[in-house]
Amino acid sequence: MYYSIYETSQSETIIELFTQTFSDSEGQNEGKVIGQLVSELLASTKNEDLFTFVARDENEIVGSILFTRLTFESDKTAFLLAPVAVSTKSQGKGIGQALIKTGLDTLKQHGVDLVFTYGDPSFYTKIGFERITEQEFKAPLPLSYPHGWMAQSLTEQPLAAIAGSSSCVEAFNKPELW
């Protein structure tokens, strides 16, 4: 398996991967929503606000993750890990965890302090994320699944609450995604 930062020529393949993977697990409507989100993120997010990674098995892309800037009223540099997709036939092989580790290592090398995610705690706590509350770290929009709000420090410092609001990139600034 080969893990790397994506190339713009891979955009359509990545969009198809997210659409199919989420359609397989959550239904076609969710697949379309997530495929559209990834399309918007890749097309409209500034380069300095986006990191995208892929997992390739030979020449086939079997996984992808995106990290987008999350801004707090603080001097901390933060990114949001979402969404994550591993093709249905390639799941259960550790590809998602390895892909996320590659992304986190790269973000750490770029001086990022904190990474947040919003998903299944049973998965994300395995790779170092801690459950947090909106009182500690305000999400950009109200959370429909508050126990899925998690963070990880990429520095030697433990997680410490940040007062004030936060904001996300435009493609994520939609209540239905939170």
Side-chain angles (χ1 to χ4, degrees):
M1 198 62 57
Y2 179 71
Y3 302 93
S4 64
I5 292 178
Y6 103 113
E7 299 168 14
T8 54
S9 63
Q10 298 168 325
S11 294
E12 286 304 315
T13 303
I14 291 171
I15 294 164
E16 290 170 15
L17 170 72
F18 277 95
T19 301
Q20 187 61 55
T21 300
F22 278 83
S23 291
D24 290 349
S25 65
E26 307 290 328
Q28 277 197 319
N29 286 343
E30 187 71 5
K32 288 178 186 177
V33 168
I34 300 301
Q36 181 60 38
L37 170 64
V38 171
S39 178
E40 288 177 35
L41 287 167
L42 294 176
S44 68
T45 307
K46 295 177 189 172
N47 286 340
E48 64 267 19
D49 294 337
L50 176 69
F51 287 88
T52 304
F53 298 89
V54 296
R56 287 185 311 166
D57 186 5
E58 301 202 14
N59 289 328
E60 181 184 4
I61 294 176
V62 297
S64 181
I65 57 172
L66 287 81
F67 293 87
T68 54
R69 189 170 305 275
L70 192 58
T71 305
F72 286 88
E73 296 176 22
S74 153
D75 63 347
K76 301 289 185 196
T77 304
F79 275 75
L80 175 68
L81 162 59
V84 177
V86 175
S87 70
T88 304
K89 68 178 178 159
S90 299
Q91 291 176 5
K93 300 176 182 175
I95 294 168
Q97 289 183 14
L99 192 54
I100 292 168
K101 183 181 180 332
T102 298
L104 294 174
D105 289 346
T106 301
L107 289 171
K108 187 174 183 176
Q109 292 169 8
H110 281 84
V112 173
D113 300 305
L114 302 166
V115 175
F116 292 79
T117 195
Y118 183 47
D120 180 2
S122 64
F123 174 77
Y124 288 103
T125 56
K126 291 178 189 174
I127 49 177
F129 282 87
E130 300 173 38
R131 288 181 171 180
I132 56 173
T133 67
E134 287 191 90
Q135 290 71 38
E136 296 169 304
F137 301 93
K138 185 77 173 143
L141 294 165
L143 299 174
S144 59
Y145 181 69
H147 55 283
W149 189 226
M150 292 168 280
Q152 182 175 148
S153 173
L154 297 183
T155 69
E156 298 300 317
Q157 302 300 313
L159 290 175
I162 298 175
S165 63
S166 67
S167 61
C168 55
V169 298
E170 187 60 34
F172 264 117
N173 200 22
K174 299 173 184 171
E176 64 271 18
L177 296 175
W178 295 90

